[in-house]
Amino acid sequence: MSQMFCGTIAAAAISVVFAVLDIRYRSVPLYFFAVVCAAGIVFSVLTKRPFSDVLLAALPGVIVMVFSVITEGGIGTGDGLYFLAMSGFLRPLDAGLLLLFALFLAATVSMILLLVKKKRKTTLPFLAFMPAVLLILSGRAGL
């Protein structure tokens, strides 16, 4: 089993906790982000990942944080913090794919909700899509 496969599985397991907190409370405590970041740093050091890989994997988080500022919270700051926290566990390509696939899933669910006449102001907890996407990515990482 490759080290990055283990990182993707660890990220998926952690993402389940993020998703449950986001669905139930609509927020994730900052200390949880800090703990996950610390675990990601330890994982990166133990697997001897180049620092440049971790920085590139953090890029989707930076992008989401910028959009959070531009949309004045339309995209949650916690979503950006999530991607930053996961950068210690994911390869850069997987971090980018995670963002793209999660956006696709969220858009698909949003369209379905609009078709069934759900209120337009309904918000979706974005982090709820992460475990499913990471499980898909774990199949790619295991190859």
Side-chain angles (χ1 to χ4, degrees):
M1 192 170 357
S2 78
Q3 292 172 338
M4 291 320 298
F5 176 74
C6 292
T8 305
I9 294 299
I14 293 166
S15 294
V16 169
V17 178
F18 273 111
V20 168
L21 291 170
D22 196 29
I23 290 167
R24 184 146 188 212
Y25 302 108
R26 296 289 196 191
S27 70
V28 178
L30 283 177
Y31 70 84
F32 190 70
F33 288 108
V35 168
V36 172
C37 283
I41 291 168
V42 169
F43 178 81
S44 294
V45 169
L46 291 176
T47 58
K48 297 178 175 67
R49 284 184 65 201
F51 186 64
S52 59
D53 271 9
V54 177
L55 285 179
L56 284 172
L59 192 56
V62 172
I63 291 168
V64 172
M65 294 294 282
V66 168
F67 277 107
S68 179
V69 171
I70 291 171
T71 63
E72 297 176 358
I75 297 172
T77 306
D79 300 328
L81 290 173
Y82 166 83
F83 282 98
L84 292 173
M86 290 293 111
S87 64
F89 295 99
L90 300 173
R91 294 179 286 198
L93 179 60
D94 289 338
L97 289 173
L98 175 61
L99 177 59
L100 292 176
F101 289 168
L103 286 171
F104 176 77
L105 277 175
T108 302
V109 170
S110 295
M111 284 189 287
I112 291 169
L113 289 174
L114 285 174
L115 289 174
V116 298
K117 310 255 191 263
K118 196 74 173 159
K119 292 180 191 173
R120 185 155 168 70
K121 293 291 183 182
T122 301
T123 60
L124 290 175
F126 188 58
L127 295 181
F129 297 98
M130 303 306 162
V133 174
L134 281 165
L135 288 176
I136 292 167
L137 290 176
S138 70
R140 193 183 82 67
L143 296 177

